[in-house]
Amino acid sequence: MTRWLIFFRPGDIVLILLAAFCVVASFPLFWSSGVGERAVIRVDGEIFREVALDRAATIVVRGALGETRIEIEKGRARVAADPGLRQYCVRQGWLSRAGAIAICAPNRVSLSIVGRHEIYDSLNY
Amino acid sequence: MSDDTKFMTRSTIDADPPVPPQVTAELVVTPHDRQIARLAAAAVGLAIIDAVIPLPLPGVKPGLANIITLLALARYGWRVAAWVSLLRVVASALVLGQFLAPGFFLSLAGAIASLAVLGIVYRLPRRWFGLVSWSLCASFAHITGQILLARLWLVPHDGIFRLLPVFALAALLFGILNGLVAANIHAGIDSERAR
């Protein structure tokens, strides 16, 4: 092991440390783009409210059938209650990734998560 | 068969052959060329070993052939290193059946980027920056060149940059490793010559 140490020059060590730092820093830098930052709530296709996912809140939205209750927590959001028959949007549970969306079609309410940048969306495209 | 063809025997065809103009292209093979060919052959061998080592992610490779590029640079200068590196890319692609496939262009882009960076770092004072530095800079240049070409041409979407941390980690580890091996061989040849 020590036999190999003689091949390291001072500049090599500096460069290795620099490179290692860049590698460590690159993980959050390139892997954070999918993190949701805001929740966008739409009623009848119109934006009803946009909330940052930084603290807990409960938002009640009045739709075509009745009230949809949306819960916000740090970094995630869900539809907690909805008057719709099949409860698809409620059963989706917590949404946290950018681009995730829960649609309560009967009540015409949707909850979508967006990140820092708008991401390519094959549903709406 | 008609009578006509019967007459067309070999002797009638060859009876009065047109004299082809004598064109002789003589390739003078210098010892320098042989040196490059030897190094490139070694590099192709290592590139094939590289290709058969199974690794979990496509695109992550040890890049063992770059040991030869580093040695060529250390012992014979940048021009020889560039020859060896580019010959290796073409020849190993031919051997592995990757010639003109996307993988070929990716490794070509990586090789060109590495050579460009090596052209700069090998002028740095050797007392401070050894082969490990060169190898590290070259491996990072390699992934940069590759991922830029991939982004521009193969996968025109920013999602490809999510692979970058993984590639960077591989470049760090294999960069240091290949640099150490090259430095060891370089020193070994030196002490062999000194004896």
Side-chain angles (χ1 to χ4, degrees):
Chain A
M1 187 63 215
T2 46
R3 206 169 74 79
W4 293 88
L5 287 179
I6 57 162
F7 299 119
F8 288 110
R9 308 275 161 88
D12 297 349
I13 306 289
V14 174
L15 276 179
I16 288 169
L17 291 178
L18 195 72
F21 174 79
C22 289
V23 170
V24 172
S26 73
F27 277 90
L29 193 68
F30 290 101
W31 283 7
S32 67
S33 61
V35 171
E37 297 212 326
R38 283 170 295 127
V40 179
I41 301 160
R42 287 190 174 82
V43 183
D44 272 335
E46 306 279 315
I47 292 180
F48 172 75
R49 262 181 81 178
E50 256 193 77
V51 214
L53 298 178
D54 54 357
R55 63 181 159 206
T58 305
I59 296 160
V60 176
V61 191
R62 187 148 269 294
L65 295 181
E67 285 181 346
T68 298
R69 201 171 81 241
I70 287 161
E71 275 180 17
I72 311 280
E73 271 189 13
K74 197 166 165 52
R76 58 185 195 166
R78 69 166 175 178
V79 179
D82 178 71
L85 191 62
R86 300 187 197 281
Q87 300 284 300
Y88 286 136
C89 58
V90 180
R91 280 153 62 186
Q92 250 179 288
W94 291 104
L95 310 177
S96 58
R97 307 289 300 174
I101 185 163
I103 302 168
C104 304
N107 207 24
R108 298 192 186 169
V109 172
S110 76
L111 164 69
S112 56
I113 309 293
V114 292
R116 206 168 309 157
H117 314 285
E118 288 293 322
I119 67 164
Y120 178 77
D121 175 359
S122 60
L123 265 184
N124 287 324
Y125 183 67
Chain B
M1 255 194 205
S2 68
D3 283 355
D4 275 29
T5 45
K6 257 185 195 161
F7 276 107
M8 293 286 278
T9 54
R10 245 199 109 65
S11 56
T12 41
I13 297 167
D14 289 349
D16 195 10
V19 181
Q22 286 284 312
V23 180
T24 323
E26 199 167 323
L27 279 170
V28 184
V29 183
T30 63
H32 181 249
D33 294 337
R34 291 214 169 84
Q35 185 75 64
I36 289 174
R38 258 203 299 277
L39 288 164
V44 171
L46 286 175
I48 291 166
I49 292 173
D50 233 16
V52 297
I53 295 174
L55 278 163
L57 261 175
V60 175
K61 275 203 287 183
L64 299 173
N66 296 308
I67 295 169
I68 305 293
T69 310
L70 291 169
L71 281 172
L73 182 63
R75 306 198 74 82
Y76 310 106
W78 188 83
R79 285 178 63 90
V80 173
W83 268 112
V84 169
S85 172
L86 295 175
L87 278 174
R88 181 259 300 172
V89 169
V90 174
S92 67
L94 284 171
V95 170
L96 296 166
Q98 290 282 316
F99 187 56
L100 300 185
F104 165 75
F105 289 104
L106 288 177
S107 65
L108 187 63
I112 290 170
S114 297
L115 286 170
V117 168
L118 282 175
I120 300 164
V121 293
Y122 101 111
R123 286 167 211 279
L124 294 172
R126 292 259 187 124
R127 257 181 69 84
W128 298 96
F129 297 96
L131 265 65
V132 177
S133 290
W134 298 1
S135 178
L136 202 58
C137 292
S139 69
F140 274 86
H142 198 280
I143 57 160
T144 308
Q146 276 189 329
I147 212 152
L148 284 181
L149 180 71
R151 171 65 184 82
L152 291 172
W153 176 47
L154 291 175
V155 188
H157 184 272
D158 283 340
I160 196 169
F161 290 121
R162 296 186 142 235
L163 291 172
L164 202 50
V166 179
F167 287 169
L169 186 63
L172 177 68
L173 296 178
F174 292 129
I176 296 170
L177 218 63
N178 289 343
L180 278 176
V181 172
N184 193 9
I185 297 172
H186 185 49
I189 298 170
D190 277 347
S191 62
E192 195 90 342
R193 295 261 162 95
R195 237 190 284 149

